[in-house]
Amino acid sequence: MAKNFLLQHNFGFDINKKVDAEDTGNDWLKLGSGIKGMEIDNNEESEEFYYYDGGGNAESAVTGQQKSFEFECDRDYNDPAQNYIFNTLAHTIGPERDVAIRVTYPDGTKLIGPGTVTDIKEPSGEANKRGECGFTLKFAGKPKITAGSAVGV
């Protein structure tokens, strides 16, 4: 059986100004225009435990995590999602940075929940280059997970 490529462009990323937004709403801002790259990080915290019966070797337990998605992009001044991030959120702190985040994996699995836009890097660079910028989406707590299907990936 042939394996399909897990193409990164098959991910879907959306934010909503309403922190408690429902998946069915039509007021989500789609992220995509100008996005060049994305990195997923679980930001895991773990603890090691050493026991006498382990011969001095450790056992590990993950004690916490915060799922985050870091984006590298070129600035698109016609994109509503980028405009909200770079024209509004970049000039705020605290709860004003909070949004709802929706991530759709290529197999259809969805993560939805409240979060924050952090590490906003406004466009900068050389005169003959596009305005390189970036930001990170971080879930606040564990997102709601809806399983997808691997069919057609």
Side-chain angles (χ1 to χ4, degrees):
M1 184 165 118
K3 301 263 185 199
N4 291 320
F5 287 107
L6 179 63
L7 298 174
Q8 300 300 2
H9 71 267
N10 286 327
F11 273 89
F13 300 98
D14 307 279
I15 59 172
N16 196 305
K17 297 175 186 180
K18 298 177 198 160
V19 176
D20 59 350
E22 295 293 326
D23 185 26
T24 57
N26 60 0
D27 50 353
W28 289 86
L29 298 173
K30 180 177 179 51
L31 296 166
S33 183
I35 303 291
K36 300 188 297 186
M38 176 270 303
E39 293 287 330
I40 302 173
D41 192 346
N42 281 336
N43 296 305
E44 293 181 350
E45 292 290 327
S46 63
E47 191 171 339
E48 281 70 40
F49 303 95
Y50 299 86
Y51 300 113
Y52 287 110
D53 64 351
N57 296 299
E59 297 176 14
S60 296
V62 176
T63 58
Q65 70 167 282
Q66 184 182 36
K67 178 85 67 185
S68 67
F69 300 83
E70 181 180 356
F71 296 90
E72 175 186 334
C73 53
D74 288 331
R75 183 69 166 99
D76 180 353
Y77 289 92
N78 294 312
D79 181 65
Q82 280 198 25
N83 287 340
Y84 182 61
I85 292 169
F86 296 110
N87 295 348
T88 302
L89 297 181
H91 310 292
T92 64
I93 60 173
E96 293 178 52
R97 286 268 185 108
D98 294 345
V99 296
I101 301 170
R102 179 172 64 189
V103 177
T104 307
Y105 283 77
D107 72 349
T109 298
K110 282 188 182 182
L111 307 180
I112 300 175
T116 306
V117 181
T118 68
D119 305 313
I120 298 173
K121 298 171 190 73
E122 295 186 69
S124 60
E126 299 174 29
N128 64 341
K129 304 283 183 188
R130 294 178 185 246
E132 295 181 356
C133 50
F135 56 91
T136 302
L137 301 179
K138 293 183 178 182
F139 279 105
K142 183 176 180 180
K144 176 182 173 194
I145 302 169
T146 305
S149 168
V151 177
V153 174

